[in-house]
């Protein structure tokens, strides 16, 4: 019988994602924290979002943190070969067990 260590990110009593390493789980949890903050910012946006759209946009922006940081620092898009913008970074995580992300 094999023993497997699994790090699970749980939000509001719901399992969001599980990882093989604590580092990946902590990074994902931190990204979800950022998404919550961004969702609060988007409430005051000049564009009207319904709740699901606002949540999805906040999560996407949090996933794009590195690219957006580079844009804010330099005022221009980073080299496309260096940091491509992915539309669904969460499902690209190779060691994560995919589950519904809120």
């Amino acid at each position: 019988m094999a023993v497997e260590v699994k790090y699970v990110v749980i939000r509001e009593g719901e399992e969001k994602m599980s990882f093989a390493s604590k580092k990946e789980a902590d990074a994902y949890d931190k990204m979800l924290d950022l998404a919550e903050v961004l969702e609060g910012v988007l409430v005051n946006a000049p564009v009207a979002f319904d709740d699901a759209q606002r949540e999805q946009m906040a999560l996407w922006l949090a996933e794009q943190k590195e690219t957006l940081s580079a844009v804010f620092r330099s005022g221009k898009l980073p080299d496309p070969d260096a940091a491509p913008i992915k539309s669904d970074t969460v499902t690209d995580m190779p060691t994560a067990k995919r589950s519904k992300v809120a």
Side-chain angles (χ1 to χ4, degrees):
M1 177 163 86
V3 175
E4 181 179 319
V5 176
K6 180 169 96 170
Y7 297 89
V8 181
V9 177
I10 299 173
R11 289 287 175 125
E12 298 174 10
E14 183 181 336
E15 182 177 325
K16 299 297 180 183
M17 197 82 88
S18 62
F19 298 87
S21 79
K22 184 176 183 337
K23 183 178 176 181
E24 290 175 318
D26 287 342
Y28 186 76
D29 189 49
K30 190 173 179 179
M31 191 259 315
L32 290 178
D33 287 340
L34 178 58
E36 282 183 21
V37 172
L38 290 170
E39 195 170 344
V41 171
L42 290 173
V43 167
N44 299 316
V47 178
F49 293 107
D50 65 33
D51 290 343
Q53 289 173 322
R54 187 172 44 252
E55 184 178 325
Q56 186 177 12
M57 178 60 80
L59 186 59
W60 184 81
L61 288 168
E63 291 170 349
Q64 304 308 314
K65 177 184 174 185
E66 297 304 318
T67 301
L68 292 171
S69 292
V71 169
F72 288 135
R73 278 192 307 271
S74 69
K76 55 187 171 183
L77 285 173
D79 181 11
D81 296 329
I85 295 177
K86 297 178 182 178
S87 62
D88 195 2
T89 305
V90 172
T91 58
D92 292 338
M93 292 180 171
T95 58
K97 174 185 163 194
R98 291 180 180 91
S99 60
K100 183 177 181 278
V101 177

